[in-house]
Structures are given as C-alpha cells and as structure tokens.
Amino acid sequence: MAGSEPWLTLRRGCRSALAILLDPSREVHVAAAGGRPVGFIIIAMTGPFRGYIQTIAVDPAHRGSGVGGRLISFAERRIFAESPNVFLCVSSFNHRARKLYERLDYKVVGRLKDYVVRGHSEILMRKTTGPLSGFKPARRASS
C-alpha cells in the first residue's frame, strides 16, 4: 500500500499505515486471491460519521479487477445493517477511485481543502438509504 498512489502523495508510509491497521477501534477486512492478500478495507463504526470507510487499498496488480468494488459492497452490507449512511473520503487527485465511488452511487457532500496534504482536498462522499431519524438497525442473531 505505502509504495503506490494515492498513499505516496498522501505521505502515508509503512509506519502510519500499520498504526491504522492495528487501531482496535477499527474493523479491518482483507480480500484474498490464491491465498494471498490483494486488498483490504478499514471501517469505523463509532464516532461522528458512524459507518465511515476509513481506508480502502487494492494491490496495484489487482486494480481494475473488481476487488475494490467487492470490498466496498462488503462494507456497505456491514454498515447498512447498523446505519443508514456510508461515508468515505477520496483525495481530489484520485480520479479513478472517485469514478468508482460515483458509479456505486456515492454523492459528494463536502470538501476538506488541504486536509491531509497541502494542495489537495479530501472529498467527503456519502451513500444513504435515508436519514438517521427513523432508522431501525437490522436485528442481530443471538449467540
């Protein structure tokens, strides 16, 4: 992850990437092919944007193969069971990822100028099934 875009421009090296992966307040889900990891997604289910996709990363050799879309689909099922909204940010220079999110029906709801690195914005996007008011989470099976 740390050796490819958008992570290079965002200056997210191995140490900071590992800290995010090990954050116990986040859920990390991995996509594999042939027994090897080819991508992962990190979800935050707490905080002001409950249902926030914090990070999605796909091995450069597997980009364009549907891994990212499948990871997002998984995250949406997970999040929509507990919240009517899925949030994510995409860097203003990451046009390919933004096209994917727009194709998956995410809408721009805000722009954070110079948020991670100077000269680039983070674009806040949301996919929703409706407002928080009146939302009823799916029932979880008892254990």
Side-chain angles (χ1 to χ4, degrees):
M1 170 185 146
S4 67
E5 288 295 345
W7 318 111
L8 292 170
T9 299
L10 294 173
R11 299 183 190 112
R12 188 182 287 175
C14 289
R15 184 172 291 152
S16 64
L18 185 59
I20 292 167
L21 283 167
L22 298 176
D23 182 340
S25 71
R26 304 293 190 251
E27 296 179 13
V28 178
H29 303 277
V30 178
R36 297 184 51 100
V38 295
F40 64 89
I41 196 161
I42 301 173
I43 303 169
M45 291 303 294
T46 60
F49 292 115
R50 185 171 187 218
Y52 177 67
I53 296 174
Q54 180 178 354
T55 302
I56 180 167
V58 176
D59 183 306
H62 289 85
R63 291 180 185 163
S65 69
V67 172
R70 287 190 299 275
L71 283 165
I72 292 169
S73 178
F74 169 84
E76 288 174 355
R77 287 189 307 274
R78 163 70 183 99
I79 294 166
F80 283 143
E82 294 185 33
S83 172
N85 298 293
V86 178
F87 295 96
L88 57 80
C89 280
V90 62
S91 299
S92 57
F93 61 87
N94 196 349
H95 305 292
R96 189 173 178 182
R98 183 169 174 184
K99 278 185 179 182
L100 170 64
Y101 304 145
E102 288 172 343
R103 192 169 62 246
L104 295 174
D105 206 27
Y106 284 80
K107 307 291 186 223
V108 173
V109 294
R111 181 177 294 266
L112 306 166
K113 187 175 188 238
D114 297 330
Y115 185 69
V116 178
V117 292
R118 187 169 307 286
H120 299 289
S121 297
E122 291 302 306
I123 300 165
L124 179 62
M125 302 183 83
R126 178 180 98 161
K127 185 172 185 175
T128 186
T129 61
L132 285 170
S133 175
F135 175 77
K136 298 207 183 329
R139 288 184 165 212
R140 289 193 161 183
S142 2
S143 14

